[in-house]
Amino acid sequence: MVEHASLPLSAFCCQNPTCPDYGKKGLGNLYQHSWVDRTTQRIRNLRCRTCKTECSERKGTPWYQSRLPFDKGVAVARHLAEGDGIRKTSRLVAVGQNTVMRYNRLLGTHGKALHEEQVRHVKVREAQGDEMWAFVGKKRRPGRPHRSHR
């Protein structure tokens, strides 16, 4: 996954809902104003030329105001995307279960919003459901005829 600081400014948009340029990427209205953390200089603070509002380049993403290192956050996201459980992800990434649950909620909300924004006016002609294997719990072994109790 790409660190946000390496993305060009054209990949970002103004996050102020009252700004006329809200949500519009590549207008050239954003410029780097400062750093969120001056010691590491990894996360940029951006300012909109139109409305003069400042925001972090991570605003509007699941990584906004995250105290977890970026690499660990990405590892949590990858484990959850692979279908690993909360406990397993917590153990493998060495973070608390509450952290994994919080990221699960944040990533899910962000993913749903992104899906709703990107997927529109789709007409489905045919849908296929994949088989899902689950243990139901059989009372008898297969191959044996069922004995009735008389």
Side-chain angles (χ1 to χ4, degrees):
M1 182 140 216
V2 179
E3 271 279 357
H4 292 290
S6 64
L7 293 174
L9 291 178
S10 61
F12 301 102
C13 60
C14 182
Q15 297 291 318
N16 180 9
T18 60
C19 179
D21 295 334
Y22 173 71
K24 299 175 184 173
K25 295 181 182 179
L27 296 180
N29 60 324
L30 294 178
Y31 64 95
Q32 181 178 348
H33 177 65
S34 61
W35 297 98
V36 172
D37 184 3
R38 293 179 184 171
T39 57
T40 59
Q41 294 188 350
R42 287 185 299 175
I43 304 169
R44 298 176 286 191
N45 239 355
L46 307 178
R47 179 176 274 176
C48 177
R49 285 186 173 96
T50 308
C51 67
K52 307 294 187 231
T53 304
E54 280 186 39
C55 67
S56 164
E57 65 182 332
R58 290 188 178 179
K59 186 166 183 175
T61 71
W63 317 119
Y64 181 60
Q65 293 184 336
S66 172
R67 292 186 185 103
L68 195 65
F70 185 73
D71 296 337
K72 279 197 176 194
V74 170
V76 168
R78 285 188 177 148
H79 282 287
L80 291 172
E82 288 294 322
D84 292 345
I86 302 294
R87 287 182 183 167
K88 182 177 180 182
T89 302
S90 171
R91 188 176 62 251
L92 292 173
V93 183
V95 295
Q97 290 181 14
N98 289 338
T99 302
V100 176
M101 289 189 291
R102 185 176 68 250
Y103 270 86
N104 190 22
R105 186 176 56 253
L106 287 170
L107 292 164
T109 304
H110 185 73
K112 182 180 179 185
L114 182 66
H115 181 269
E116 295 297 324
E117 179 186 323
Q118 297 291 324
V119 182
R120 295 182 183 194
H121 311 298
V122 176
K123 295 184 180 185
V124 180
R125 287 182 234 134
E126 181 181 333
Q128 266 186 356
D130 290 342
E131 294 178 22
M132 193 169 185
W133 292 87
F135 178 74
V136 178
K138 297 180 181 179
K139 299 283 185 191
R140 59 188 176 93
R141 285 187 266 165
R144 283 189 169 180
H146 181 65
R147 295 188 309 191
S148 61
H149 298 287
R150 293 183 195 181

